[in-house]
Amino acid sequence: MSFTVPKLRYDYSALEPSIDATTMEIHYGKHHQTYVNNINAQVGKFPELKDLGLVAMNQSIGSPKIPKEAATAVRNNGGGHWNHSFFWKVMTNPSNTNGPSSEVKSAVESAFGSVDEMKAKFNAAAAGRFGSGWAWLAVKDGKLIITSTPNQDNPLMQIADDPSIPILGLDVWEHAYYLKYQNRRPEYVSAFWNVVNWEQVAENFTSAKGGNVPNVE
C-alpha cells in the first residue's frame, strides 16, 4: 500500500483572493507531499501498518495497533495526510457553492443558535489555537460541536480531546496563510468562509451522522 496526494479539484488560483495561488501551490504541492512521503516511509518500515487504510490509521493513533517506534511519525504524517486531503475538499471557488444546505443549517441552529454564532465560535477556536493546529466543525453523538487540535492531530484520533467525525476543518499552521496574511491569523480565518464548499460539508454531514468518516479521495 502506498499513499498519494489526491488530485486537487480546482486551480491554485480558484480560491483567490481569500487564499492566494502561491500559498496553494506550495501548501498542496510541497507540504502535503512531504507528509505523504513520510507516512509511506513508515509503512515501508513497519509491515503491520500496511493493513491499515488512512482512516483506520488515524483512528488507531493512541492504540497498540501503531508500533511505539512509529507512533510519533504516524501521528504527525498520517494525520497530516488525512487533514490536508480533507481540507482541499471542503474548499471551492465562491461561485461554485450556495451556502449551507437546509439540513446543515438546521443542525447548526440547533447546536449553536445561528450560523453566525457557529462561525464566531469556530473563528475563536481557530484564532485561539496556540501555535500550529486545526479548527473543526464535527459530529459527536449525533450533534455538531466545534473543537480544535494541535499540530496534525484530528478528532478521529483516540487521543483527541473531543473524539468526533469532522465535517469542516481549517488549517491554522502558518504555512497555510503567512505569505498573504503574515501574523494576521484572524483575517485569514474570516476569509476562509468565502471559500467553504458547503455542498461538500453537506455530504460530510450525511456521512458523519451515519457514523462514517467522509471520503477524502
Side-chain angles (χ1 to χ4, degrees):
M1 178 185 66
S2 182
F3 295 112
T4 59
V5 177
K7 181 176 175 57
L8 198 63
R9 298 182 174 188
Y10 42 81
D11 294 335
Y12 293 139
S13 61
L15 309 181
E16 292 268 14
S18 299
I19 299 178
D20 62 284
T22 302
T23 292
M24 278 299 304
E25 182 175 6
I26 296 169
H27 197 179
Y28 172 80
K30 306 285 188 184
H31 289 280
H32 192 172
Q33 187 64 57
T34 298
Y35 293 121
V36 168
N37 293 345
N38 289 342
I39 194 58
N40 283 335
Q42 294 302 308
V43 171
K45 290 179 184 177
F46 298 93
E48 55 266 59
L49 296 176
K50 291 181 179 179
D51 294 330
L52 295 175
L54 185 58
V55 170
M57 184 179 289
N58 276 266
Q59 291 174 325
S60 299
I61 290 169
S63 83
K65 289 184 179 180
I66 307 297
K68 285 185 178 180
E69 301 85 350
T72 299
V74 171
R75 177 179 178 178
N76 291 339
N77 296 288
H81 180 29
W82 191 89
N83 293 352
H84 286 85
S85 299
F86 180 86
F87 185 47
W88 310 135
K89 287 189 73 175
V90 298
M91 296 188 293
T92 191
N93 183 284
S95 65
N96 294 335
T97 188
N98 295 308
S101 68
S102 58
E103 188 178 19
V104 169
K105 187 171 184 287
S106 177
V108 165
E109 290 173 345
S110 176
F112 306 104
S114 69
V115 173
D116 286 344
E117 186 63 22
M118 179 275 289
K119 289 181 178 180
K121 291 184 185 307
F122 186 98
N123 290 359
R129 166 50 62 182
F130 182 77
S132 301
W134 293 74
W136 308 94
L137 178 65
V139 172
K140 182 176 184 178
D141 300 326
K143 297 181 179 179
L144 289 175
I145 65 166
I146 286 169
T147 187
S148 71
T149 54
N151 302 314
Q152 293 299 346
D153 289 1
N154 62 57
L156 301 178
M157 298 177 180
Q158 296 183 21
I159 56 174
D161 291 338
D162 283 306
S164 48
I165 300 178
I167 67 168
L168 179 66
L170 175 60
D171 187 347
V172 293
W173 282 62
E174 284 192 343
H175 66 231
Y177 64 87
Y178 203 82
L179 286 179
K180 181 176 178 68
Y181 296 99
Q182 289 83 50
N183 64 331
R184 305 188 307 277
R185 183 193 287 184
E187 188 177 334
Y188 158 70
V189 173
S190 179
F192 169 65
W193 296 107
N194 297 329
V195 295
V196 168
N197 183 345
W198 287 107
E199 285 70 26
Q200 184 63 55
V201 172
E203 286 186 31
N204 294 347
F205 181 55
T206 298
S207 295
K209 281 196 310 175
N212 300 310
V213 177
N215 179 26
V216 296
E217 296 301 323

